[in-house]
Amino acid sequence: MTTIRGVANAAGSGGNGAKRPSVNLDDVSKTIIELLQHDGRKSYASIAQEVGLSEAAVRQRVQRLLDADVMQIVAVTDPLQVGFQRQAMVGLRVSGDMTSVADALTEMEEVSYVVTTAGSFDVLAEVVCENDAHLLELLTSRIRPLPGVTATETFVYLKLNKQLYNWGTR
């Protein structure tokens, strides 16, 4: 199932540390985000009617939100239906600087999500692979050899029970 969703992404999309433009999240911007989280294909004209702005003003606000990495508007797909048979979450224990490991993971095409954590793991990375052989190659040849990685634990997904991006704003 392919759906279009506005994905709020407070952590940004690239992790490259580049300076992003500042955005004022007033009530109108929050409403725009929530409308796009519900339907990422919603027209600017329709949004404009709901928030009381012109279509051009809505277009400019959306562009500022995109440029500042406050949100992304993407097609969220079911990996199984687009040729990716294996998804997993990889927990990494790191000795030393966790940032360099997290940054290296963000550069890998198969890695869709990276977060630095507190607890049993220092970094979590979600990976999407074509099959088990691809996952094995990624783990053994590219993730485990990263400098600072001392241990990994892989949680293979058996079934995706829930995945939503409509948590709104605060």
Side-chain angles (χ1 to χ4, degrees):
M1 168 179 73
T2 299
T3 58
I4 305 295
R5 295 276 185 235
V7 179
N9 185 359
S13 60
N16 61 11
K19 179 83 170 140
R20 294 182 194 97
S22 176
V23 174
N24 178 24
L25 286 182
D26 60 11
D27 289 341
V28 173
S29 291
K30 289 177 181 180
T31 300
I32 291 170
I33 291 168
E34 290 172 359
L35 290 168
L36 288 170
Q37 282 178 321
H38 180 72
D39 179 2
R41 296 181 297 173
K42 192 170 191 73
S43 72
Y44 292 142
S46 175
I47 294 169
Q49 286 180 343
E50 292 193 45
V51 299
L53 295 177
S54 69
E55 183 177 341
V58 168
R59 185 179 301 109
Q60 289 172 350
R61 279 189 185 234
V62 168
Q63 191 58 54
R64 281 197 303 268
L65 293 166
L66 294 169
D67 291 345
D69 280 342
V70 171
M71 68 178 190
Q72 300 172 349
I73 300 172
V74 298
V76 177
T77 61
D78 177 348
L80 288 172
Q81 293 193 43
V82 293
F84 296 98
Q85 300 301 309
R86 180 56 65 218
Q87 287 182 272
M89 183 67 69
V90 181
L92 295 94
R93 291 187 181 89
V94 177
S95 174
D97 182 24
M98 294 181 287
T99 304
S100 62
V101 172
D103 288 346
L105 291 167
T106 65
E107 298 299 320
M108 296 181 188
E109 183 179 326
E110 298 90 346
V111 177
S112 61
Y113 178 82
V114 177
V115 58
T116 303
T117 65
S120 297
F121 298 103
D122 300 305
V123 177
L124 293 174
E126 183 177 52
V127 300
V128 180
C129 297
E130 292 176 24
N131 51 41
D132 287 338
H134 183 195
L135 174 60
L136 181 62
E137 182 276 327
L138 177 66
L139 290 169
T140 59
S141 300
R142 296 175 36 217
I143 292 178
R144 288 184 178 150
L146 289 173
V149 172
T150 60
T152 64
E153 187 171 345
T154 303
F155 302 89
V156 172
Y157 295 2
L158 299 177
K159 178 182 175 186
L160 179 61
N161 297 91
K162 182 177 182 177
Q163 179 175 329
L164 298 175
Y165 299 99
N166 58 348
W167 50 79
T169 61
R170 302 291 176 265

